[in-house]
Amino acid sequence: MEEVIEKIVAGNLAAVRGRIEAATRAAGRPAGSVALVAVSKTHPAAIVREALAAGHRLFGENRVQEAEAKYPALRESFPDLVLHLIGPLQTNKVRDAVSLFDVIETVDRPRIAAALAREMERTGRRLPCLIEVNTGEEPQKSGVLPEAADAFIDECRGRLGLPIVGLMCVPPVDGEPAPHFALLREIARRTGLEVLSMGMSADFETAIRFGATHVRVGTAIFGARGMESA
Ligand SMILES: *Cc1c(COP(=O)(O)O)cnc(C)c1O
């Protein structure tokens, strides 16, 4: 059974890497310019280990608590593992998040930005951060609204001194993702940010066409999740 899972994860990873390479080439972009963040949320540590055994090192988790339960042991076996937080952060989890993750992709409001700045100052652990933009202006979704993005980015980089390196978005589930990727790219261009985390299992090739530097892929690597975890 485990051997079968191992083969499936390794095979899926190879397939996704191949599709990323092809999309990168088709977009006329340099080979290796798109990083694959393997999204392991809801999948047990044993499955993540199969990806690590297949040579993968870059992962994303959307909940601090779940990541805390899985990743410290994995890091002991694979010290070069890199972990991104890709889900919403609460102020009472900032301390844990800064100690566990390597990149925070979801800075989305002043309160969280200020708490992150304080914790990074306190610990001296300065993590690269991305600002999440709610490109679809969906009321239920986190992320700064596009028209407020420039001012928020300025505040984070300026007054708060956060190491902001890029932007992240999750387009609405229905509809064409391309305009959202184009909007994120445009905000990054005018604010001088280089990292663009966009594209998931269903649309990462489109995101690469629009300049994604990081694609976040879960289902296409680890298989379907339970219902609860969108
Ligand atoms: C779950 C998740 C992903 C991965 O989604 P898939 O469709 O499984 O590839 C990417 N980004 C975020 C923010 C997620 O929560």
Side-chain angles (χ1 to χ4, degrees), residues 15 41 63 74 101 129 148 175 182 189 195 200:
K41 66 188 185 197
R63 294 206 173 94
L74 293 170
F101 289 90
C129 292
R189 190 198 57 75
V195 174
M200 320 201 324

Side-chain angles (χ1 to χ4, degrees), residues 95-108:
R95 186 167 285 199
D96 295 342
V98 169
S99 88
L100 180 66
F101 289 90
D102 302 294
V103 173
I104 308 286
E105 293 204 13
T106 49
V107 181
D108 65 348

Side-chain angles (χ1 to χ4, degrees), residues 167-198:
L167 304 176
M168 174 269 208
C169 76
V170 182
V173 282
D174 318 308
E176 183 48 51
H180 299 274
F181 299 151
L183 174 58
L184 201 71
R185 177 177 63 183
E186 171 52 23
I187 298 170
R189 190 198 57 75
R190 68 184 185 229
T191 53
L193 292 170
E194 281 178 5
V195 174
L196 279 175
S197 173
M198 55 190 198

Side-chain angles (χ1 to χ4, degrees), residues 39 41 62 86-87 106 132 168-170 199-202 216-220 223 225 229-230:
V39 177
K41 66 188 185 197
N62 69 333
I86 61 164
T106 49
E132 180 174 4
M168 174 269 208
C169 76
V170 182
M200 320 201 324
S201 291
R216 308 178 310 267
V217 178
T219 309
R225 294 177 293 269
S229 60

